[in-house]
Amino acid sequence: MSRYIIHFLISSVLLSGAIAGFNWWMDPYAIYHKQAPQQSQPLVVMNERVFKTVGLAHTPSDVVILGTSRADLGIGREHEAFKGKRVISLATFGQTIRESRRLMEVAVKDSKPKIVILGLDFFVFNALFAPPLDFVEENYSPSRAYHLMLSINALTHSWTVMRRKIPDESDLFDADGFRIPRSLSRLAGGYRESFSHNERSYLLEKYLPYPNCRFAFSSNRYGSSLEDFRAIVRLAHQQHIDLRLFISPSHARQWETLAISGLWQQWEEWKREMVRITDTEARMANAESFGLWDFSGYDDISTEVVPASGDKTTIMHWYSDSAHYTPDLGKIVIQRMFMPVTQDGWKTWGAVINSSNVERHLDHIRMVRTSYRATHQQDIAEIENTARTVGRIKRCPATP
């Protein structure tokens, strides 16, 4: 009997070693080999949280980018401000502010960046907004990379990579986590439909998600989103990191979608709270406050004309849908934050908000919104129609 046990143990060790070696060699999530994840693309894109949290967040860098899909899709690496620096993107779809905090803590410890750029999006500050399904707490374990070597799921993906059976319709990642998107020309003829679909998803799932259908800055399960933001700001002061904060630009239709959700007042309060936190933390650190750039609102960029339904030739320059901005606009975001005095065509776009100007800033947005609604009645009607459709199918708890 003991001989069988010995044989079994030896076979188990050899099998485990073979699985670990095969997963390491094929590297389906691009976390073991420090090169562009070419062979496993776009499998890496489908498992971006493994790629970025387990692998990339521990890579030495000068600049780290955090945020949701808006930063993931919109912030590229081609900027004069990044010249000569190692820049990595840890932005991921649906990244909650708590996840941004966790990623920053890992990056500060292992990646040791000098600059962190954080794109801020209102909907992920909802403490009732659940993390995406691919968020796995174990990804933050120091031993996660080793555990994945023995994962049967990873083995399946490794086999897929070896057989070259990966679909090629997705975007790609480079070795530093930046997306290499497909041409925006694929949207020609479908912008208005893409906008409406995006707005429907925000009304149905993101602004007031199931099962609570409410917005709150704190919850018993996920704690306080504003305190997570405070922790990010405090950590940056403690570690002498140059933290660049910006509220993401989105099309004006997205702000109308937010408003019809009944969240305009919370949106304004969110901005006030972030100003208060950045100013308070700066005073406590006896340091200058980090600039909080606001690129949201109504302006020449956010009111870009959405092509008519069926227009198969027009390509929008600044947006792919009402929430996501293009890399061309991302370049201007970086330009404004790092070189705001540069004489370019958008030298007055965006504003640094602080305790002394935030109320005037909010008043101005309300004023220009009134003008937008008066001149874009078709867009407003489409959003209202989408809201009515969502209202008929969305079942929320009755208000007590």
Side-chain angles (χ1 to χ4, degrees):
M1 180 67 70
S2 60
R3 179 186 302 174
Y4 292 113
I5 294 175
I6 292 173
H7 287 170
F8 174 76
L9 292 175
I10 292 174
S11 298
S12 298
V13 170
L14 291 175
L15 178 60
S16 298
I19 292 173
F22 184 63
N23 283 336
W24 177 86
W25 180 257
M26 299 312 299
D27 197 10
Y29 312 128
I31 59 176
Y32 304 117
H33 306 147
K34 304 303 182 184
Q35 72 272 352
Q38 295 300 326
Q39 66 173 359
S40 54
Q41 293 281 15
L43 195 57
V44 171
V45 176
M46 293 185 286
N47 295 274
E48 67 169 343
R49 278 184 164 78
V50 179
F51 168 50
K52 293 190 174 184
T53 307
V54 180
L56 197 57
H58 303 274
T59 303
S61 66
D62 301 302
V63 183
V64 166
I65 298 169
L66 298 169
T68 68
S69 58
R70 300 180 191 183
D72 189 10
L73 295 168
I75 302 297
R77 64 188 313 144
E78 302 300 326
H79 302 286
E80 185 67 24
F82 297 159
K83 189 174 182 180
K85 298 181 175 67
R86 173 75 187 276
V87 186
I88 62 174
S89 175
L90 300 182
T92 53
F93 278 62
Q95 186 176 115
T96 65
I97 192 64
R98 171 151 294 190
E99 186 178 6
S100 298
R101 172 186 176 178
R102 297 290 301 280
L103 283 167
M104 181 169 171
E105 289 170 347
V106 172
V108 166
K109 178 177 178 291
D110 295 333
S111 183
K112 302 188 184 306
K114 300 178 179 65
I115 301 171
V116 171
I117 301 170
L118 174 58
L120 299 163
D121 294 302
F122 172 68
F123 75 97
V124 296
F125 275 74
N126 187 351
L128 301 172
F129 181 80
L133 293 176
D134 65 340
F135 175 86
V136 177
E137 184 67 31
E138 288 78 5
N139 283 339
Y140 290 92
S141 169
S143 60
R144 179 61 167 168
Y146 302 104
H147 291 163
L148 286 170
M149 283 185 186
L150 296 172
S151 165
I152 298 302
N153 193 48
L155 178 63
T156 301
H157 288 156
S158 293
W159 180 253
T160 302
V161 172
M162 189 182 75
R163 297 182 66 200
R164 307 290 183 180
K165 295 293 185 180
I166 305 171
D168 59 1
E169 293 85 5
S170 299
D171 298 342
L172 305 177
F173 277 130
D174 68 12
D176 293 327
F178 287 96
R179 284 183 178 259
I180 307 172
R182 292 172 292 166
S183 171
L184 289 176
S185 62
R186 70 188 188 277
L187 291 172
Y191 276 108
R192 194 160 288 269
E193 291 77 8
S194 177
F195 271 58
S196 293
H197 177 77
N198 174 268
E199 290 146 10
R200 184 180 185 276
S201 73
Y202 273 81
L203 288 166
L204 187 62
E205 304 167 0
K206 295 186 179 180
Y207 281 136
L208 301 170
Y210 287 116
N212 306 95
C213 300
R214 294 189 299 109
F215 188 101
F217 289 120
S218 63
S219 70
N220 292 333
R221 183 172 183 180
Y222 297 115
S224 169
S225 59
L226 292 174
E227 288 306 309
D228 286 324
F229 176 69
R230 182 190 301 279
I232 290 172
V233 176
R234 182 171 296 175
L235 179 62
H237 281 300
Q238 291 172 344
Q239 299 297 322
H240 305 290
I241 291 171
D242 182 0
L243 179 63
R244 304 294 178 111
L245 303 166
F246 73 96
I247 298 172
S248 301
S250 286
H251 195 275
R253 287 180 55 134
Q254 183 62 216
W255 311 132
E256 289 302 311
T257 303
L258 180 150
I260 208 167
S261 298
L263 295 174
W264 189 274
Q265 290 185 347
Q266 288 95 325
W267 189 45
E268 292 188 336
E269 188 60 25
W270 172 63
K271 294 182 180 182
R272 293 187 185 100
E273 286 296 317
M274 287 196 296
V275 165
R276 182 181 63 81
I277 289 170
T278 53
D279 286 355
T280 299
E281 290 301 314
R283 286 195 298 271
M284 291 180 62
N286 194 27
E288 185 176 348
S289 181
F290 297 120
L292 175 58
W293 281 87
D294 188 1
F295 294 108
S296 67
Y298 300 76
D299 48 55
D300 290 343
I301 289 180
S302 69
T303 58
E304 181 181 10
V305 175
V306 181
S309 180
D311 183 340
K312 298 184 181 301
T313 58
T314 304
I315 303 295
M316 292 188 70
H317 193 51
W318 304 127
Y319 300 97
S320 56
D321 57 42
S322 63
H324 297 94
Y325 54 95
T326 65
D328 283 339
L329 188 52
K331 290 179 182 178
I332 301 176
V333 168
I334 298 300
Q335 177 81 6
R336 293 290 292 134
M337 289 196 296
F338 283 85
M339 293 171 279
V341 298
T342 301
Q343 299 298 308
D344 56 40
W346 304 105
K347 61 184 178 181
T348 61
W349 181 58
V352 178
I353 56 177
N354 51 50
S355 56
S356 65
N357 70 359
V358 63
E359 294 304 328
R360 291 195 307 273
H361 178 74
L362 297 177
D363 286 343
H364 175 74
I365 291 178
R366 289 187 222 111
M367 180 185 68
V368 292
R369 181 193 177 212
T370 300
S371 176
Y372 174 82
R373 290 179 59 83
T375 57
H376 293 76
Q377 295 183 11
Q378 179 184 349
D379 294 280
I380 301 301
E382 289 177 356
I383 295 167
E384 290 175 344
N385 182 61
T386 299
R388 284 192 293 270
T389 300
V390 169
R392 287 193 292 267
I393 64 175
K394 189 173 184 178
R395 294 292 180 262
C396 294
T399 303

